[in-house]
Amino acid sequence: MTPQPHILVIDDEPQILRALRTILLAKHFRVTATGRGEEGLTLAATTLPDLVILDLGLPDVDGFTVCRRLREWTQIPIIVLSVREDERDKVRALDQGADDYLVKPFGIEELLARIRVALRHSAQSVEATKEVIVTAGDLVIDLGAHLVTRKGTEVKLTATEFRLLTYLVKNMGRVLTHQNILMKVWGGGYESNVEYLRVYMSQLRKKLEADSKHPRYLLSEPGIGYRFSPDE
């Protein structure tokens, strides 16, 4: 019998911890919770959860630091819950490795939906790494063979377009910031060339999407970045 997904909650608000524990247990998740960042890091290393729910305002080390230190050794999904609505905080959290960002107060159903999506994409990413083939509708992306087909016909991509698509696919479901994508795909010194990235995303959408103006898979997060979602 497959064990239920294990979620680690790191939040210093007792009422939030109680509410999340009650909700998640009712949905048959296994739950570990703490109100301190350092203890959260230790619990992550010792219990190896399937997903982390993380607050930014912790009493010892802030959530940005926790996120960065987790990303030094694991790719488990991290969903940030925070009262901070500023776009700069969202971008910073995502740049440090968070997969998603939800502002408090949040809707329970929305949180549960994001947890399901994050867990599903995490499992798909593991399989994609093993098989190096991802299917999204009529798209088939074979990373190992450097081959993309749509409705069975090969799509010709430039080397840069393929590097961009590969990075998005390997991080499927994660919101990747403009700066993160530019640095990883183009290298240092390109982090501010957001318009450059938009041009390449537009080209990819024209080649891969049925309707490039209403994309299903290569999705925008306004003001923040992009994500690849194979099952939208």
Side-chain angles (χ1 to χ4, degrees):
M1 183 175 177
T2 303
Q4 293 299 314
H6 175 205
I7 296 179
L8 171 61
V9 181
I10 308 174
D11 195 307
D12 69 332
E13 295 183 57
Q15 64 272 32
I16 293 288
L17 282 182
R18 285 195 298 270
L20 287 176
R21 184 189 291 276
T22 300
I23 293 161
L24 295 172
L25 288 174
K27 295 296 180 179
H28 307 294
F29 292 107
R30 292 176 292 140
V31 182
T32 303
T34 178
R36 301 184 68 82
E38 287 290 355
E39 185 178 7
L41 288 165
T42 300
L43 286 169
T46 56
T47 68
L48 299 177
D50 297 293
L51 181 142
V52 174
I53 294 176
L54 175 65
D55 184 24
L56 294 181
L58 300 169
D60 49 352
V61 294
D62 65 36
F64 299 114
T65 301
V66 173
C67 199
R68 186 183 70 250
R69 287 171 61 181
L70 285 172
R71 281 290 170 258
E72 290 173 357
W73 63 273
T74 182
Q75 291 301 311
I76 57 173
I78 301 171
I79 297 178
V80 168
L81 297 183
S82 178
V83 294
R84 305 181 191 183
E85 298 183 62
D86 192 291
E87 191 174 279
R88 289 170 297 183
D89 288 320
K90 294 181 183 180
V91 169
R92 185 181 173 195
L94 294 165
D95 272 340
Q96 296 296 334
D99 294 80
D100 205 346
Y101 193 110
L102 198 56
V103 176
K104 297 176 182 178
F106 52 87
I108 298 305
E109 291 306 317
E110 181 178 8
L111 174 61
L112 290 170
R114 295 198 189 200
I115 289 171
R116 290 193 296 270
V117 168
L119 290 171
R120 184 167 66 249
H121 286 156
S122 178
Q124 289 171 333
S125 293
V126 170
E127 289 305 310
T129 301
K130 292 177 184 175
E131 301 176 7
V132 210
I133 298 175
V134 175
T135 301
D138 56 16
L139 283 177
V140 178
I141 303 164
D142 188 334
L143 299 181
H146 282 240
L147 178 67
V148 179
T149 60
R150 182 165 173 250
K151 296 182 179 178
T153 302
E154 182 178 355
V155 180
K156 298 292 186 182
L157 299 181
T158 68
T160 301
E161 287 169 349
F162 192 82
R163 283 202 309 274
L164 174 57
L165 180 62
T166 297
Y167 187 58
L168 291 166
V169 168
K170 285 185 174 180
N171 291 277
M172 67 174 75
R174 287 187 62 191
V175 179
L176 300 171
T177 66
H178 298 127
Q179 290 73 22
N180 180 278
I181 297 170
L182 285 161
M183 184 179 69
K184 295 292 185 180
V185 177
W186 279 273
Y190 285 88
E191 293 91 342
S192 61
N193 292 11
V194 176
E195 191 56 42
Y196 195 58
L197 172 57
R198 289 196 182 105
V199 170
Y200 273 90
M201 285 299 298
S202 176
Q203 291 173 187
L204 270 183
R205 284 169 169 165
K206 286 176 182 176
K207 292 182 178 183
L208 303 181
E209 298 278 4
D211 182 353
S212 62
K213 296 189 183 301
H214 301 91
R216 290 182 61 194
Y217 311 116
L218 299 167
L219 305 179
S220 295
E221 296 291 336
I224 296 174
Y226 299 96
R227 64 186 169 96
F228 175 79
S229 185
D231 52 1
E232 289 293 322

